[in-house]
Amino acid sequence: MTINKYLKEPVESLFAEHPYAKDWLEQISCVIDPGDTLFDVLYKQRESFYVSQNMTARMIARQFEDYLQVMRDMLEQPVRAVKTITLCPGHGKTKEPEQFAPLTFHPGDIIAVVGPTGSGKSRLLEDIECGASGNTPTGRRMLINNETLSKDRKTRTRQRIAAQLSQNMNFVIDLTVRDFLSMHARCWPTANTGGRIERILELANSLAGEKFDMESNVAQLSGGQSRALMIADCALLSHAPIVLIDEIENAGINRRKALELLTGEDKIVFLTTHDPLLALLAHTRLVIKNGAIDRVIQRTKREEETLRKLEAADNKMLELRTLMRGGELLEDL
Amino acid sequence: MKLITFSGPPSSGKTSVISKMIRAYLERGTKVGVVKFDCLQSNDDKIYARLQVPVLLGLSGQQCPDHYYISNIEDVFNWGAGIHLDILLSESAGLCNRCAPHIRGIPAVCVIDQMSGVHTPGKIGPVLRFADIVVITKSDIVSQAEREVFEMNVQYVNPRAEIFHINGLTGQGSAELIEALDGYTNDSVVTDNKLRYPMPMALCSYCLGETNIGARYQLGNLRKIKIPEENTGGSK
Ligand SMILES: Nc1nc2c(ncn2[C@@H]2O[C@H](COP(=O)(O)OP(=O)(O)O)[C@@H](O)[C@H]2O)c(=O)[nH]1
Ligand SMILES: [Mg+2]
């Protein structure tokens, strides 16, 4: 990229093409008249501006050029498709080696992580999140498409492998659903996000018991509504191929639908849970004991039977809840 | 000895992250010490002392903590080298976001906190803009979308920085930060080295506590507003 192309044009057109350019100039306290050319903006600053930056206009132009280049390279990096992830054994809390053979997962897979509190479920999610390469306390390794993750941090941020969802998470920002989702969509300026925002709201509403709309404030959503919005957003806007879910059992959302939504978008979903129904929704179940993966269970035919019964009971529960909210008597079970 | 500087807004998690790193350094047998620069008061030195590492506390009092820091870093560096530290960690919180303690060639870590809001990266200036490494804390309690937006906003300000998410409470993520810091030279140079971003030219009488108004009280490095001749008006 060369700055010369922009020097003679109004900065407005530069900003339209590269929104971050404005942020950079504002960061260094440039006073900008949008009708001015970049050349004028750079040379029209007060003397105090150049003094405080300790730079000449020419030096600032050079830095700005460099910035535009780095930003463009970063934003235009293609997001790598993930075909498989492989988890290789490490060791438990007392260093005894894990006994399982490397496990390979594909887009659309759900993996449940179960075990007593403190056994190391979250640790496993952490290993996956950072793409462990033997450098974490468990010594586990993770391969993506049969390769270890790139060590290059500058590309890793954009190539994030895992999105997270946990009970502790809240929206802290004070924005409407519309502005919030638009803001998130802008993280991927080169992706086609048209219609996505409407779709996210629609899906979130299908997961949560009580409806909300584009003008609702995200910080004021109920627990269930926030969780639903986070899941729909993770599925449709976040580019991470893996979703890590930490104990969302009491979230007040339709959990099966939530998982279907994520796997339908080709996510690989890991979920820690104490809830048999959630655990049975996964084909693979990792049992953690003393920090190690102690057992790998593939869901059996008879377990599928159990799942069907649990789901019937769960649906009944939802029905009763709806009746109760509507002020009905709950006499028929 | 390797000097590593940590800076960032108050309560962003600097002490929490540094403490987790100290533990990891001690575990692998690295000799580590800490210096904390603050204005009026700090308890961080006690937190570090509990980890059984050599600690210095510098309080700038009436002076700007960033200026105090840069006028003392050489002595502090010599102190650390004198007691044969492998790594000296420096924690400082600036006052006004105008200055950055980052020194050329010395790994500069900026710690910012996800809870401070997605627009914060755009507001904190040179501390973030000139950092090598940006540590984002408190990501454990916000949504994935907010994390991604926050990170993007950090990249807008400093697209070259390496970004790490670290949970200051559990230390999750700190192993990777340590790995990255291992990549920097073990022979930091402070004497005759330079700040990456100049601190404001000052030292006028008001820096020294003057409160009276009027030309006869003003000494030192002063900048005067330019007023065109015809508008001066008033009394002679
Ligand atoms: N939830 C959460 N709290 C954190 C995290 N990091 C730090 N804190 C808390 O934030 C507060 C300020 O942290 P501290 O390390 O003293 O910040 P400093 O002023 O920058 O040194 C403390 O109460 C910490 O326990 C984090 O990653 N997550
Ligand atoms: Mg502190």
Side-chain angles (χ1 to χ4, degrees), chain A residues 20 23 27-28 47-48 51-54 66-67 70-71 74-75 126 129-130 135 151 153-154 156-158 160 163-164 168-173 180 183-184 187 230 233 238, chain B residues 98 114-115 118-119 121-125 129 139-149 151-152 155-157 159-165 172 175-176 179 197-198 201 223 226:
Chain A
Y20 43 84
D23 294 350
Q27 262 285 310
I28 59 170
E47 191 208 333
S48 62
V51 172
S52 71
Q53 294 301 319
N54 197 27
D66 175 65
Y67 170 79
V70 176
M71 279 303 285
M74 184 182 75
L75 292 171
E126 287 170 22
E129 191 207 1
C130 71
N135 56 349
K151 281 270 167 241
R153 286 253 139 218
K154 283 147 210 170
R156 270 180 74 170
T157 305
R158 299 290 287 174
R160 165 200 319 286
Q164 281 178 304
N168 299 333
M169 285 182 185
N170 283 299
F171 292 118
V172 293
I173 200 165
F180 177 75
M183 186 178 77
H184 190 195
C187 288
M230 284 180 200
D233 172 87
S238 187
Chain B
R98 167 60 185 75
Q114 176 81 66
M115 286 294 285
V118 293
H119 299 299
K123 293 179 196 156
I124 54 178
R129 193 147 58 92
S139 307
D140 52 319
I141 38 188
V142 303
S143 66
Q144 179 70 31
E146 282 161 292
R147 285 187 197 200
E148 291 181 14
V149 171
E151 211 170 68
M152 186 75 238
Q155 289 181 309
Y156 275 0
V157 177
R160 288 188 190 279
E162 293 189 81
I163 298 177
F164 295 84
H165 287 267
Q172 182 189 348
E176 291 162 285
E179 226 173 81
Y197 187 72
M201 295 192 296
R223 286 172 55 75
K226 278 202 195 97

XYZ file of all heavy atoms in Angstrom, chain A residues 20 23 27-28 47-48 51-54 66-67 70-71 74-75 126 129-130 135 151 153-154 156-158 160 163-164 168-173 180 183-184 187 230 233 238, chain B residues 98 114-115 118-119 121-125 129 139-149 151-152 155-157 159-165 172 175-176 179 197-198 201 223 226:
713
model
N -10.519 1.945 10.077
C -9.554 2.022 11.172
C -8.576 3.179 10.999
O -7.918 3.594 11.935
C -8.796 0.697 11.303
C -8.382 0.129 9.964
C -7.221 0.549 9.343
C -9.192 -0.807 9.324
C -6.865 0.044 8.102
C -8.843 -1.324 8.087
C -7.678 -0.896 7.482
O -7.329 -1.389 6.263
N -9.471 5.966 13.261
C -9.118 5.683 14.658
C -7.651 6.019 14.916
O -7.303 6.583 15.937
C -9.325 4.188 14.985
C -10.787 3.798 14.928
O -11.622 4.706 14.819
O -11.080 2.593 14.977
N -6.285 8.679 17.439
C -5.420 8.214 18.521
C -4.251 9.163 18.790
O -3.879 9.397 19.927
C -4.814 6.853 18.142
C -5.520 5.674 18.707
C -5.213 5.525 20.163
O -4.062 5.542 20.573
N -6.245 5.395 20.967
N -3.672 9.666 17.730
C -2.531 10.549 17.943
C -2.989 12.004 18.034
O -2.206 12.934 17.895
C -1.440 10.368 16.853
C -2.007 10.662 15.462
C -0.850 8.969 16.874
C -0.916 10.745 14.394
N 1.403 23.356 15.905
C 2.788 23.066 16.241
C 2.854 22.128 17.450
O 3.652 21.202 17.499
C 3.517 24.369 16.540
C 5.008 24.191 16.640
C 5.629 25.227 17.559
O 5.054 26.324 17.696
O 6.671 24.912 18.158
N 1.949 22.354 18.406
C 1.979 21.552 19.639
C 1.758 20.071 19.334
O 2.243 19.190 20.033
C 0.919 22.038 20.614
O -0.358 21.877 20.042
N 5.064 18.662 18.244
C 5.948 18.622 19.410
C 5.578 17.441 20.305
O 6.425 16.638 20.694
C 5.869 19.944 20.207
C 6.638 19.807 21.520
C 6.414 21.089 19.373
N 4.276 17.284 20.566
C 3.883 16.221 21.487
C 4.145 14.848 20.874
O 4.427 13.895 21.580
C 2.416 16.366 21.882
O 1.611 16.037 20.785
N 4.049 14.725 19.556
C 4.323 13.441 18.907
C 5.817 13.243 18.682
O 6.256 12.144 18.357
C 3.605 13.355 17.558
C 2.095 13.331 17.660
C 1.589 12.167 18.469
O 2.084 11.057 18.354
N 0.617 12.417 19.328
N 6.558 14.333 18.801
C 7.990 14.294 18.532
C 8.280 13.774 17.127
O 9.188 12.989 16.921
C 8.694 13.419 19.583
C 10.185 13.665 19.628
O 10.643 14.764 19.296
N 10.948 12.653 20.001
N 2.613 2.583 7.163
C 2.983 1.292 7.731
C 1.779 0.671 8.444
O 1.475 -0.505 8.292
C 4.142 1.502 8.708
C 4.505 0.233 9.446
O 4.948 -0.704 8.772
O 4.341 0.194 10.678
N 1.068 1.502 9.187
C -0.105 1.032 9.932
C -1.166 0.483 8.977
O -1.706 -0.601 9.188
C -0.666 2.187 10.763
C -2.009 1.901 11.386
C -2.111 1.120 12.542
C -3.178 2.400 10.829
C -3.339 0.856 13.099
C -4.416 2.145 11.387
C -4.496 1.374 12.516
O -5.716 1.106 13.084
N -0.093 -2.942 7.719
C -0.205 -4.015 8.712
C -1.669 -4.374 8.930
O -2.044 -5.544 9.010
C 0.437 -3.588 10.057
C 0.232 -4.664 11.114
C 1.912 -3.322 9.873
N -2.520 -3.362 9.027
C -3.937 -3.616 9.257
C -4.541 -4.381 8.092
O -5.303 -5.313 8.284
C -4.697 -2.285 9.421
C -4.597 -1.672 10.778
S -5.162 -2.734 12.108
C -6.923 -2.645 11.912
N -3.541 -7.936 8.090
C -4.197 -8.678 9.163
C -5.641 -9.002 8.794
O -6.089 -10.132 8.918
C -4.136 -7.845 10.436
C -4.701 -8.543 11.621
S -4.625 -7.453 13.036
C -5.951 -6.344 12.649
N -6.359 -7.983 8.330
C -7.781 -8.173 8.056
C -8.016 -9.108 6.877
O -9.024 -9.801 6.821
C -8.452 -6.826 7.792
C -8.534 -5.902 9.013
C -9.000 -4.512 8.607
C -9.445 -6.481 10.075
N -9.171 -25.552 28.830
C -8.072 -24.589 28.682
C -7.029 -25.103 27.694
O -6.492 -24.348 26.887
C -7.404 -24.324 30.041
C -8.261 -23.467 30.962
C -7.731 -23.397 32.392
O -6.513 -23.636 32.587
O -8.522 -23.108 33.301
N -8.385 -24.560 24.323
C -8.448 -23.153 23.963
C -7.101 -22.620 23.471
O -7.025 -21.880 22.505
C -8.923 -22.314 25.155
C -9.244 -20.891 24.727
C -9.089 -19.868 25.811
O -8.709 -20.234 26.940
O -9.326 -18.687 25.527
N -6.041 -23.019 24.178
C -4.744 -22.454 23.792
C -4.023 -23.328 22.771
O -2.919 -23.014 22.340
C -3.876 -22.210 25.022
S -3.267 -23.698 25.788
N 2.969 -27.725 26.466
C 3.471 -26.630 27.296
C 2.542 -26.279 28.457
O 2.762 -25.317 29.168
C 3.688 -25.390 26.421
C 2.421 -24.994 25.664
O 1.459 -25.758 25.635
N 2.417 -23.822 25.087
N 2.817 -20.889 16.037
C 3.261 -20.150 17.216
C 3.155 -18.643 16.982
O 3.382 -17.843 17.866
C 4.727 -20.496 17.538
C 4.875 -21.805 18.259
C 4.813 -21.620 19.772
C 4.656 -22.939 20.491
N 3.450 -23.035 21.270
N 1.766 -15.463 17.068
C 0.662 -14.820 17.774
C -0.085 -13.824 16.910
O -1.249 -13.560 17.091
C 1.208 -14.031 18.965
C 1.633 -14.911 20.061
C 0.644 -14.821 21.184
N 0.446 -16.138 21.686
C -0.725 -16.594 22.096
N -1.783 -15.848 22.044
N -0.844 -17.803 22.550
N 0.690 -13.188 16.028
C 0.068 -12.109 15.272
C -0.984 -12.652 14.333
O -1.954 -11.997 14.029
C 1.132 -11.307 14.518
C 1.849 -10.379 15.492
C 3.298 -10.141 15.178
C 4.015 -9.889 16.490
N 5.450 -9.876 16.369
N -2.371 -15.683 15.050
C -3.257 -16.528 15.855
C -4.503 -15.813 16.340
O -5.543 -16.421 16.499
C -2.494 -17.117 17.038
C -1.875 -18.436 16.694
C -1.128 -19.010 17.854
N -2.015 -19.531 18.877
C -1.555 -20.254 19.893
N -0.290 -20.518 20.000
N -2.379 -20.708 20.806
N -4.370 -14.535 16.599
C -5.527 -13.816 17.101
C -6.678 -13.885 16.097
O -7.820 -14.121 16.456
C -5.161 -12.361 17.383
O -4.056 -12.364 18.259
C -6.300 -11.627 18.035
N -6.337 -13.716 14.830
C -7.382 -13.773 13.807
C -7.780 -15.212 13.507
O -8.839 -15.461 12.964
C -6.900 -13.119 12.503
C -6.543 -11.682 12.642
C -7.733 -10.795 12.866
N -8.571 -10.590 11.702
C -9.731 -9.923 11.749
N -10.186 -9.457 12.889
N -10.432 -9.751 10.672
N -8.230 -17.544 15.670
C -8.660 -18.103 16.946
C -9.333 -19.446 16.743
O -10.183 -19.601 15.890
C -9.640 -17.127 17.578
C -10.458 -17.683 18.708
C -11.701 -16.855 18.962
N -11.407 -15.430 18.860
C -10.736 -14.758 19.777
N -10.337 -15.358 20.860
N -10.473 -13.489 19.601
N -14.059 -20.509 20.727
C -14.910 -19.507 21.370
C -15.410 -20.110 22.676
O -15.524 -21.333 22.784
C -16.081 -19.163 20.467
N -15.663 -19.268 23.668
C -16.061 -19.795 24.970
C -17.407 -19.290 25.428
O -17.819 -18.187 25.099
C -15.017 -19.414 26.012
C -13.819 -20.308 25.943
C -12.781 -19.885 26.949
O -12.356 -18.750 26.940
N -12.394 -20.800 27.798
N -20.374 -17.860 33.990
C -19.906 -16.601 34.589
C -19.998 -15.414 33.654
O -19.800 -14.277 34.064
C -18.422 -16.712 34.973
C -18.194 -17.793 35.968
O -19.095 -18.126 36.731
N -17.002 -18.371 35.976
N -20.238 -15.705 32.371
C -20.154 -14.614 31.402
C -21.392 -13.750 31.395
O -22.509 -14.232 31.495
C -19.971 -15.188 30.005
C -18.594 -15.688 29.775
S -18.485 -16.288 28.111
C -16.829 -16.939 28.176
N -21.142 -12.454 31.236
C -22.237 -11.506 31.108
C -21.893 -10.502 30.033
O -20.736 -10.307 29.711
C -22.439 -10.767 32.420
C -23.147 -11.637 33.425
O -24.276 -12.061 33.209
N -22.457 -11.944 34.513
N -22.929 -9.854 29.515
C -22.672 -8.697 28.656
C -22.409 -7.523 29.579
O -23.199 -7.249 30.481
C -23.878 -8.390 27.779
C -24.146 -9.437 26.735
C -25.343 -10.142 26.738
C -23.213 -9.713 25.755
C -25.601 -11.100 25.770
C -23.463 -10.675 24.786
C -24.660 -11.373 24.797
N -21.291 -6.858 29.405
C -21.028 -5.711 30.280
C -21.266 -4.403 29.524
O -21.252 -3.330 30.086
C -19.597 -5.728 30.857
C -19.434 -6.900 31.796
C -18.542 -5.777 29.771
N -21.487 -4.534 28.222
C -21.600 -3.334 27.402
C -23.027 -2.806 27.407
O -23.984 -3.561 27.527
C -21.130 -3.667 25.974
C -20.758 -2.399 25.249
C -22.172 -4.461 25.225
C -19.956 -2.677 24.012
N -24.968 -3.953 19.206
C -24.004 -4.914 19.709
C -23.587 -5.894 18.611
O -22.396 -6.120 18.371
C -24.609 -5.670 20.888
C -23.713 -6.722 21.433
C -22.621 -6.390 22.213
C -23.942 -8.060 21.150
C -21.775 -7.370 22.701
C -23.103 -9.040 21.638
C -22.021 -8.692 22.410
N -21.592 -4.289 15.886
C -20.229 -4.054 16.333
C -19.400 -5.338 16.192
O -18.267 -5.318 15.720
C -20.274 -3.600 17.795
C -18.963 -3.187 18.373
S -19.183 -2.620 20.073
C -19.350 -4.198 20.906
N -19.988 -6.446 16.582
C -19.266 -7.715 16.468
C -19.021 -8.064 14.995
O -17.940 -8.512 14.628
C -20.041 -8.833 17.169
C -19.254 -10.098 17.292
N -19.823 -11.295 17.600
C -17.936 -10.343 17.132
C -18.882 -12.234 17.628
N -17.735 -11.689 17.350
N -15.916 -6.826 13.206
C -14.610 -7.470 13.409
C -14.186 -8.224 12.151
O -13.030 -8.590 12.010
C -14.664 -8.473 14.555
S -14.771 -7.703 16.157
N -25.733 -15.225 23.236
C -24.311 -15.586 23.140
C -24.130 -16.805 22.247
O -23.190 -16.871 21.446
C -23.733 -15.895 24.523
C -23.463 -14.660 25.362
S -22.781 -15.101 26.967
C -23.128 -13.603 27.897
N -24.850 -15.946 18.584
C -23.750 -15.108 18.100
C -22.488 -15.943 17.856
O -21.804 -15.785 16.850
C -23.509 -14.000 19.128
C -22.266 -13.175 18.829
O -22.384 -12.209 18.068
O -21.184 -13.524 19.348
N -18.953 -15.610 15.289
C -17.599 -15.920 15.704
C -16.982 -16.876 14.687
O -17.643 -17.800 14.232
C -17.625 -16.559 17.087
O -16.317 -16.718 17.544
N -0.812 9.942 29.306
C -0.030 10.740 28.375
C 1.337 10.095 28.108
O 1.921 10.267 27.056
C 0.130 12.156 28.944
C 1.169 13.031 28.279
C 0.858 13.232 26.792
N 1.920 13.979 26.135
C 3.108 13.486 25.819
N 3.392 12.226 26.090
N 4.009 14.223 25.223
N -10.612 -6.288 30.342
C -11.767 -6.435 29.475
C -13.019 -5.760 30.052
O -13.862 -5.281 29.318
C -11.987 -7.937 29.290
C -13.156 -8.347 28.511
C -12.924 -8.273 27.019
O -12.130 -8.992 26.452
N -13.646 -7.380 26.387
N -13.094 -5.684 31.375
C -14.270 -5.092 32.018
C -14.315 -3.576 31.825
O -15.338 -2.951 32.047
C -14.262 -5.384 33.521
C -14.598 -6.803 33.885
S -16.291 -7.173 33.459
C -17.132 -6.285 34.786
N -15.304 -1.935 25.777
C -14.677 -2.171 24.475
C -14.039 -0.917 23.885
O -13.232 -1.005 22.971
C -15.668 -2.754 23.437
C -16.102 -4.148 23.830
C -16.866 -1.843 23.256
N -14.388 0.243 24.392
C -13.804 1.456 23.824
C -12.517 1.883 24.509
O -11.822 2.773 24.033
C -14.824 2.587 23.847
C -16.038 2.258 23.033
N -15.964 2.015 21.681
C -17.325 2.062 23.379
C -17.168 1.700 21.225
N -18.003 1.718 22.242
N -9.495 0.512 24.700
C -8.236 0.489 23.950
C -7.995 1.779 23.172
O -6.857 2.224 23.043
C -8.404 -0.701 23.011
C -9.345 -1.599 23.716
C -10.304 -0.696 24.454
N -9.048 2.392 22.679
C -8.890 3.621 21.916
C -8.539 4.821 22.769
O -8.189 5.873 22.257
N -8.647 4.655 24.075
C -8.479 5.820 24.943
C -7.167 5.832 25.708
O -6.855 6.836 26.348
C -9.614 5.871 25.975
C -10.975 6.128 25.375
C -12.019 6.124 26.479
C -13.422 5.989 25.927
N -14.325 5.416 26.940
N -6.445 4.713 25.733
C -5.328 4.702 26.666
C -3.965 5.042 26.078
O -2.979 5.012 26.777
C -5.248 3.419 27.507
C -5.226 2.213 26.615
C -6.369 3.325 28.503
C -5.109 0.949 27.408
N -3.936 5.423 24.827
C -2.748 6.085 24.286
C -1.469 5.286 24.205
O -1.488 4.073 23.970
N -0.153 1.825 22.513
C 0.294 1.964 21.136
C 1.742 1.509 20.962
O 2.117 1.018 19.906
C 0.146 3.427 20.707
C 0.274 3.654 19.222
C -0.606 4.809 18.763
N -0.282 6.048 19.456
C 0.590 6.948 18.999
N 1.227 6.733 17.880
N 0.805 8.050 19.675
N -11.186 -11.623 30.967
C -11.992 -12.114 29.846
C -12.946 -13.194 30.315
O -13.864 -13.571 29.587
C -11.107 -12.723 28.761
O -10.117 -11.827 28.378
N -12.708 -13.723 31.513
C -13.542 -14.822 31.999
C -14.980 -14.398 32.264
O -15.860 -15.235 32.332
C -12.935 -15.434 33.275
C -12.617 -14.385 34.343
O -12.121 -13.297 33.989
O -12.878 -14.652 35.530
N -15.222 -13.092 32.413
C -16.574 -12.704 32.808
C -17.363 -11.939 31.750
O -18.439 -11.452 32.010
C -16.550 -11.907 34.137
C -15.343 -10.986 34.178
C -16.538 -12.848 35.326
C -15.140 -10.309 35.495
N -16.808 -11.845 30.541
C -17.588 -11.183 29.488
C -17.853 -12.152 28.338
O -17.223 -13.195 28.245
C -16.869 -9.932 28.936
C -16.562 -8.951 30.038
C -15.606 -10.332 28.201
N -18.762 -11.769 27.474
C -19.153 -12.651 26.371
C -18.033 -12.764 25.336
O -17.174 -11.889 25.233
C -20.399 -12.098 25.689
O -20.100 -10.861 25.066
N -18.089 -13.852 24.582
C -17.122 -14.082 23.518
C -17.121 -12.913 22.533
O -16.067 -12.479 22.078
C -17.496 -15.381 22.785
C -16.589 -15.733 21.637
C -15.199 -16.153 22.090
O -15.041 -16.719 23.178
N -14.203 -15.867 21.287
N -18.294 -12.399 22.221
C -18.386 -11.305 21.244
C -17.629 -10.089 21.766
O -16.857 -9.458 21.036
C -19.847 -10.950 20.997
N -17.809 -9.775 23.044
C -17.103 -8.626 23.604
C -15.594 -8.842 23.591
O -14.828 -7.920 23.337
C -17.594 -8.343 25.024
C -18.931 -7.630 25.033
C -19.641 -7.738 26.362
O -20.070 -8.863 26.708
O -19.762 -6.729 27.060
N -15.170 -10.071 23.852
C -13.734 -10.370 23.754
C -13.201 -10.065 22.376
O -12.145 -9.488 22.211
C -13.492 -11.863 23.939
C -13.600 -12.357 25.288
C -13.133 -13.789 25.199
N -13.575 -14.491 26.368
C -13.044 -15.604 26.787
N -12.082 -16.161 26.104
N -13.467 -16.176 27.866
N -13.929 -10.553 21.379
C -13.443 -10.398 20.008
C -13.410 -8.932 19.610
O -12.477 -8.483 18.948
C -14.296 -11.229 19.047
C -14.084 -12.719 19.267
C -14.890 -13.623 18.336
O -15.434 -13.132 17.333
O -14.973 -14.838 18.623
N -14.424 -8.177 20.037
C -14.464 -6.755 19.698
C -13.332 -6.015 20.419
O -12.619 -5.196 19.828
C -15.833 -6.141 20.075
C -15.792 -4.635 19.924
C -16.935 -6.739 19.218
N -10.500 -7.183 21.446
C -9.247 -7.561 20.812
C -9.042 -6.803 19.508
O -7.953 -6.307 19.217
C -9.353 -9.046 20.512
C -8.099 -9.784 20.538
C -8.420 -11.259 20.469
O -8.898 -11.713 19.412
O -8.231 -11.936 21.474
N -10.108 -6.709 18.736
C -10.052 -5.973 17.477
C -9.676 -4.512 17.746
O -8.835 -3.937 17.051
C -11.451 -6.044 16.844
C -11.545 -5.468 15.464
S -10.812 -6.589 14.283
C -9.591 -5.544 13.602
N -6.136 -4.191 18.373
C -5.366 -4.290 17.125
C -5.451 -3.014 16.294
O -4.501 -2.665 15.608
C -5.840 -5.493 16.312
C -5.416 -6.784 16.972
C -5.847 -7.994 16.183
O -7.012 -8.124 15.824
N -4.923 -8.876 15.893
N -6.586 -2.328 16.372
C -6.699 -1.051 15.677
C -5.634 -0.081 16.181
O -5.067 0.686 15.434
C -8.077 -0.420 15.933
C -9.162 -0.892 15.003
C -8.909 -1.826 14.012
C -10.449 -0.382 15.114
C -9.921 -2.251 13.165
C -11.463 -0.803 14.264
C -11.192 -1.736 13.297
O -12.185 -2.147 12.452
N -5.390 -0.111 17.482
C -4.435 0.824 18.068
C -3.007 0.332 17.864
O -2.099 1.112 17.596
C -4.722 1.016 19.579
C -3.684 1.926 20.208
C -6.118 1.581 19.788
N -1.513 -2.783 15.843
C -1.673 -4.024 15.078
C -0.469 -4.958 15.160
O -0.561 -6.110 14.782
C -1.886 -3.540 13.638
C -1.377 -2.144 13.594
C -1.478 -1.594 14.982
N 0.674 -4.452 15.656
C 1.849 -5.304 15.709
C 2.005 -6.059 17.026
O 2.835 -6.954 17.128
C 3.110 -4.468 15.501
C 3.279 -3.983 14.089
C 4.636 -3.337 13.941
N 4.758 -2.655 12.663
C 5.051 -3.254 11.518
N 5.258 -4.551 11.502
N 5.139 -2.558 10.413
N 1.230 -5.690 18.011
C 1.418 -6.300 19.330
C 0.991 -7.763 19.336
O 0.119 -8.175 18.581
C 0.609 -5.534 20.367
N 1.636 -8.550 20.197
C 1.165 -9.900 20.461
C 0.126 -9.787 21.564
O 0.359 -9.111 22.563
C 2.303 -10.773 20.978
C 3.382 -11.054 19.972
C 4.348 -12.094 20.514
O 4.046 -13.281 20.446
O 5.404 -11.691 21.030
N -0.995 -10.469 21.400
C -2.068 -10.344 22.383
C -2.215 -11.646 23.171
O -2.225 -12.730 22.597
C -3.405 -10.016 21.687
C -3.285 -8.675 20.960
C -4.547 -9.980 22.691
C -4.509 -8.281 20.184
N -2.315 -11.521 24.482
C -2.535 -12.685 25.336
C -3.747 -12.431 26.224
O -3.865 -11.348 26.788
C -1.326 -12.934 26.247
C -0.085 -13.298 25.485
C 0.718 -12.315 24.945
C 0.260 -14.623 25.302
C 1.858 -12.639 24.225
C 1.401 -14.964 24.581
C 2.201 -13.971 24.049
N -4.601 -13.424 26.332
C -5.673 -13.336 27.326
C -5.207 -14.081 28.555
O -4.859 -15.261 28.473
C -6.953 -14.000 26.809
C -7.637 -13.185 25.760
N -8.631 -12.282 26.063
C -7.459 -13.106 24.425
C -9.042 -11.696 24.954
N -8.332 -12.171 23.939
N -4.483 -18.679 34.116
C -4.659 -19.312 32.811
C -4.125 -18.408 31.702
O -4.475 -17.236 31.632
C -6.141 -19.600 32.564
C -6.371 -20.310 31.242
C -7.855 -20.403 30.900
O -8.708 -20.137 31.719
N -8.139 -20.798 29.672
N 1.405 -19.127 30.969
C 2.516 -19.944 30.457
C 2.925 -19.465 29.062
O 4.114 -19.399 28.739
C 2.110 -21.414 30.407
N 1.926 -19.090 28.261
C 2.242 -18.630 26.907
C 2.944 -17.275 26.917
O 3.821 -17.020 26.105
C 0.966 -18.522 26.089
C 0.362 -19.863 25.787
C -1.071 -19.717 25.377
O -1.908 -19.471 26.278
O -1.369 -19.824 24.179
N 6.495 -17.885 27.742
C 7.164 -18.411 26.558
C 7.555 -17.277 25.613
O 8.680 -17.232 25.093
C 6.198 -19.346 25.837
C 6.787 -20.666 25.398
C 5.686 -21.566 24.853
O 5.285 -21.409 23.677
O 5.211 -22.424 25.622
N 8.578 6.692 23.603
C 7.682 7.818 23.360
C 8.039 8.915 24.352
O 8.140 8.649 25.552
C 6.236 7.364 23.566
C 5.210 8.399 23.193
C 4.977 8.702 21.850
C 4.471 9.068 24.152
C 4.040 9.642 21.495
C 3.516 10.010 23.805
C 3.307 10.299 22.466
O 2.371 11.225 22.110
N 8.269 10.135 23.858
C 8.768 11.156 24.770
C 7.742 11.543 25.828
O 6.544 11.593 25.552
C 9.047 12.340 23.845
C 8.185 12.110 22.661
C 8.041 10.637 22.499
N 7.462 17.768 27.645
C 8.497 18.675 28.117
C 7.887 19.555 29.190
O 6.934 20.274 28.945
C 8.968 19.541 26.964
C 9.632 18.718 25.901
S 10.489 19.731 24.721
C 9.148 20.623 23.993
N 5.662 27.204 27.973
C 5.150 27.469 26.634
C 4.071 28.519 26.741
O 3.179 28.418 27.576
C 4.565 26.201 26.026
C 5.631 25.213 25.586
C 5.008 23.894 25.168
N 3.990 24.101 24.145
C 4.271 24.377 22.876
N 5.512 24.487 22.483
N 3.310 24.545 21.999
N 0.186 31.873 21.672
C 0.462 32.945 20.698
C -0.790 33.787 20.537
O -1.839 33.282 20.145
C 0.838 32.338 19.338
C 2.281 31.911 19.224
C 2.681 31.841 17.735
C 3.980 31.068 17.569
N 3.762 29.647 17.198
